[in-house]
Amino acid sequence: MPASFKVRTVPLDSVDSATEEILDADFGEAAIGRVAPVDSGLWWIILLRAYGKCSGDLSVQERVDVQTGMKMILRLCLADGFDMFPTLLVTDGSCMIDRRMGIHGHPLEIQALFYSALLCAREMLAPEDGSADLIRALNNRLVALSFHIREYYWIDLKKLNEIYRYTTEEYSYDAVNKFNIYPDQIPPWLVEFMPSKGGYLIGNLQPAHMDFRFFTLGNLWSIASSLATLDQSHAILDLIEAKWAELVAEMPIKICYPALEGQEWRIITGSDPKNTPWSYHNGGSWPTLLWQTISTPSRNS
C-alpha cells in the first residue's frame, strides 16, 4: 500500500485549457531515504474493519478488489523466509518512525499492527475454498506471534533480574536465554526508569540484542488490540502513570523514551538534524497519541 499521495494537475486531452487533478501514489520511490511503508498495508486492513464495524456497511470489504488486496497483503506478510521468529522482519524507517532510528529487525510497533491486522482480516475474509489455506496460516501465526511478544518482549523488575542472571552461549532446545542476550547490554538508565509496579513491551528483539527503549505507539496499540495480556496491559498503564514526568510531563506523550544522544545519536541516526534528541521521532511529543492514552484504560475497566 502507498505511504502517501501527491495531487498532480494534468491537462484534459478533450477540452482546451481544461485540467483535472489526479493522485500519484508513492510506494517509497520518492520518499526521503527511500523507505518502504510496511505499516500502511496493515493500517489499511485495520481501518477497513473499523469502517465496517462503525458504519455497518460491509459492502466495501466484500468487494472483489478489496478481498484481493487483503489476500495480497497477507500472503506477503505470511510468506516463508529465512527468519526464525513469528514476528515481521522489516527495515529501518518502515513505520511511523520513517527515518533511521535503529528500529530495523522486529520493532514492536510493526508487530502490534501486524497482530491487529491479522485479527481484522480473519473477520473480513470471505469464506471460500481459495481462502482456507490462508486462514489456516493466519490462525497459526496469531498464536505464535502473541506468545512470542508476551513472553519475550515483556520487561519488568522480575524479568530484569532474570536477565542479569542469564547464562550465555546456551546450545540447547531448552535454553533459558534463547536469544543469547548478554546482561552487560542492559543500559544504566533502565534500572532507574523501571518502577517497582509496572512494566512494558520492549522496542525490539533480535539475536543477542534487546532494544529496551519504551515505544509508546507499540505499547498502547498492544493494549488496544489485546496483544498484551490483561495483567500486562494494566502494568503498562501503571508504568506510564509512575513515569508521567518522563513520558508526558507538560507536553503530549513522547513517541519513545529515552532519546538517542551523543555518539549513539550520530551512529544510529546518521547525525539526522531532524531527529536531534527529544525532537520529532527521537523522543519527541506526538499529539496523535493522546486519544490512545485516554481510551486504553477503558479497554480493561
Side-chain angles (χ1 to χ4, degrees), residues 45 70-71 74-75 78 114-125 131-146:
I45 293 176
M70 274 195 293
K71 291 175 184 177
L74 291 172
R75 288 195 178 101
L78 296 172
F114 183 33
Y115 180 80
S116 190
L118 291 177
L119 287 176
C120 292
R122 185 170 64 178
E123 297 297 319
M124 295 188 293
L125 280 174
S131 301
D133 290 342
L134 191 60
I135 293 173
R136 189 179 304 109
L138 184 156
N139 285 327
N140 291 339
R141 193 64 166 264
L142 277 170
V143 173
L145 179 62
S146 59

Side-chain angles (χ1 to χ4, degrees), residues 6 31 67 81 85-86 117 135 140 159 249:
K6 182 179 181 179
Q67 287 285 318
F85 313 132
I135 293 173
N140 291 339
K159 184 64 176 289

Side-chain angles (χ1 to χ4, degrees), residues 58-73:
L58 304 183
S59 62
V60 176
Q61 69 186 49
E62 292 170 351
R63 281 170 37 180
V64 174
D65 56 344
V66 173
Q67 287 285 318
T68 301
M70 274 195 293
K71 291 175 184 177
M72 290 174 68
I73 294 171

Side-chain angles (χ1 to χ4, degrees), residues 8 18 24-25 62 90 93 97 143 146 149 159 172 194 197 254 295:
R8 185 161 55 93
D24 278 345
E62 292 170 351
V90 299
I97 299 177
V143 173
S146 59
I149 296 295
K159 184 64 176 289
S172 168
M194 185 64 68
K197 180 184 177 184
K254 295 176 176 63
S295 66

Side-chain angles (χ1 to χ4, degrees), residues 163-166 168 177 180-188 208 210 212:
I163 296 174
Y164 270 119
R165 297 193 298 270
Y166 269 171
T168 57
N177 186 4
N180 201 34
I181 303 299
Y182 283 83
D184 288 347
Q185 73 175 256
I186 297 174
M210 296 179 82
F212 290 100

Side-chain angles (χ1 to χ4, degrees), residues 9-283:
T9 302
V10 297
L12 280 173
D13 295 334
S14 57
V15 183
D16 292 339
S17 71
T19 61
E20 66 172 341
E21 292 183 335
I22 62 172
L23 289 176
D24 278 345
D26 172 34
F27 295 90
E29 307 99 317
I32 298 170
R34 302 300 188 264
V35 294
V38 177
D39 63 340
S40 59
L42 303 176
W43 275 118
W44 180 74
I45 293 176
I46 294 167
L47 294 175
L48 188 62
R49 174 65 174 157
Y51 168 76
K53 286 202 60 133
C54 292
S55 68
D57 177 16
L58 304 183
S59 62
V60 176
Q61 69 186 49
E62 292 170 351
R63 281 170 37 180
V64 174
D65 56 344
V66 173
Q67 287 285 318
T68 301
M70 274 195 293
K71 291 175 184 177
M72 290 174 68
I73 294 171
L74 291 172
R75 288 195 178 101
L76 180 63
C77 292
L78 296 172
D80 290 333
F82 290 104
D83 198 21
M84 297 290 291
F85 313 132
T87 41
L88 205 56
L89 178 63
V90 299
T91 60
D92 216 339
S94 58
C95 52
M96 190 179 83
I97 299 177
D98 59 1
R99 298 171 80 93
R100 188 171 156 197
M101 274 285 291
I103 64 165
H104 57 278
H106 308 87
L108 176 64
E109 178 179 326
I110 288 291
Q111 313 316 321
L113 291 174
F114 183 33
Y115 180 80
S116 190
L118 291 177
L119 287 176
C120 292
R122 185 170 64 178
E123 297 297 319
M124 295 188 293
L125 280 174
E128 56 187 27
D129 294 340
S131 301
D133 290 342
L134 191 60
I135 293 173
R136 189 179 304 109
L138 184 156
N139 285 327
N140 291 339
R141 193 64 166 264
L142 277 170
V143 173
L145 179 62
S146 59
F147 175 83
H148 187 85
I149 296 295
R150 293 166 183 172
E151 183 71 17
Y152 303 124
Y153 276 62
W154 182 251
I155 187 78
D156 56 13
L157 270 182
K158 180 175 178 290
K159 184 64 176 289
L160 191 58
N161 287 326
E162 290 176 7
I163 296 174
Y164 270 119
R165 297 193 298 270
Y166 269 171
T167 300
T168 57
E169 309 299 333
E170 293 181 280
Y171 183 81
S172 168
Y173 290 108
D174 302 320
V176 175
N177 186 4
K178 291 180 173 59
F179 304 96
N180 201 34
I181 303 299
Y182 283 83
D184 288 347
Q185 73 175 256
I186 297 174
W189 62 263
L190 182 60
V191 179
E192 297 181 6
F193 177 72
M194 185 64 68
S196 57
K197 180 184 177 184
Y200 66 99
L201 297 166
I202 62 171
N204 211 327
L205 176 64
Q206 301 184 70
H209 173 69
M210 296 179 82
D211 185 347
F212 290 100
R213 285 177 292 174
F214 177 87
F215 286 88
T216 307
L217 179 57
N219 273 276
L220 293 181
W221 198 256
S222 295
I223 296 175
S225 65
S226 297
L227 175 56
T229 66
L230 186 63
D231 289 341
Q232 288 173 344
S233 299
H234 284 300
I236 293 168
L237 296 175
D238 287 339
L239 178 132
I240 293 174
E241 183 179 27
K243 295 298 174 179
W244 193 266
E246 290 87 348
L247 299 176
V248 183
E250 302 299 324
M251 296 292 290
I253 195 164
K254 295 176 176 63
I255 189 66
C256 71
Y257 181 90
L260 300 171
E261 299 184 273
Q263 184 70 359
E264 188 179 33
W265 167 77
R266 283 187 284 274
I267 293 172
I268 292 179
T269 72
S271 299
D272 185 352
K274 199 168 186 177
N275 269 332
T276 52
W278 307 110
S279 63
Y280 204 41
H281 302 125
N282 192 15

